[in-house]
Amino acid sequence: MRSAVQSDAGEILTLQRAAFVDEARRDNDFHLPALTQTLRDLEQELQSSTAHVAILGARIVGAVRTRQVEDTLYINRLTVAPDWQGRGVGTALMGAAEREATAKRASLFVRNYGEHSVSDFYSRLGYVPADPGGSAQHAELVRLVKDLTR
């Protein structure tokens, strides 16, 4: 695990596309921002955010990008190589991002897929819906938050 550098951008973009293509197939929507982001856009994003990568040998197998604004850490595009999903890479990346932050809370968005939601992963990490009783239950995107002061 280490901080990402500009020269990682191409490999992170390739990883991102590989990781998000299953979601695109499931939604029949290949215009997801994770799939349409350009290398130039990602390079610019890496200049204005913090990113961590998980390395296996010489290969990046996971990445996460964050941006802290005041007391909130915004987490974006947790990405794990399809052949490494379910092996703790995502958990390790989230832990690294949270430990490095000086924020009081973390916030992220996930797509709502009902009972088999990716939000189950985040729930195990202590994330809860920002509006547990509201209309976000049926929205396409659900905002999850975590108190980082504990």
Side-chain angles (χ1 to χ4, degrees):
M1 191 86 48
R2 66 168 169 75
S3 294
V5 295
Q6 283 293 313
S7 61
D8 294 329
E11 193 171 353
I12 291 171
L13 186 62
T14 300
L15 169 69
Q16 178 176 297
R17 289 180 176 163
F20 279 87
V21 76
D22 283 341
E23 183 175 334
R25 281 188 192 119
R26 181 176 44 240
D27 293 348
N28 195 30
D29 179 4
F30 290 89
H31 294 93
L32 297 174
L35 296 179
T36 60
Q37 185 174 33
T38 67
L39 179 58
R40 181 176 169 90
D41 290 341
L42 178 54
E43 289 169 340
Q44 289 175 343
E45 185 179 342
L46 290 176
Q47 290 176 1
S48 63
S49 65
T50 300
H52 293 83
V53 291
I55 309 287
L56 177 66
R59 178 182 171 207
I60 295 176
V61 296
V64 65
R65 296 188 301 272
T66 63
R67 183 177 42 89
Q68 186 167 324
V69 178
E70 297 177 3
D71 288 337
T72 303
L73 177 70
Y74 294 95
I75 299 171
N76 189 28
R77 298 227 174 99
L78 175 64
T79 308
V80 177
D83 60 327
W84 277 89
Q85 292 176 3
R87 297 186 187 193
V89 174
T91 300
L93 285 164
M94 290 294 291
E98 291 171 2
R99 280 189 303 277
E100 187 175 288
T102 58
K104 293 181 180 178
R105 73 191 71 68
S107 176
L108 57 88
F109 286 89
V110 295
R111 285 187 181 255
N112 185 9
Y113 292 113
E115 292 179 24
H116 303 291
S117 175
V118 71
S119 64
D120 294 342
F121 164 78
Y122 292 107
S123 176
R124 288 191 301 274
L125 298 179
Y127 286 80
V128 296
D131 184 16
S135 61
Q137 299 272 341
H138 302 289
E140 182 177 323
L141 291 176
V142 177
R143 181 172 169 246
L144 302 178
V145 295
K146 179 179 180 179
D147 181 351
L148 297 178
T149 61
R150 295 181 194 162

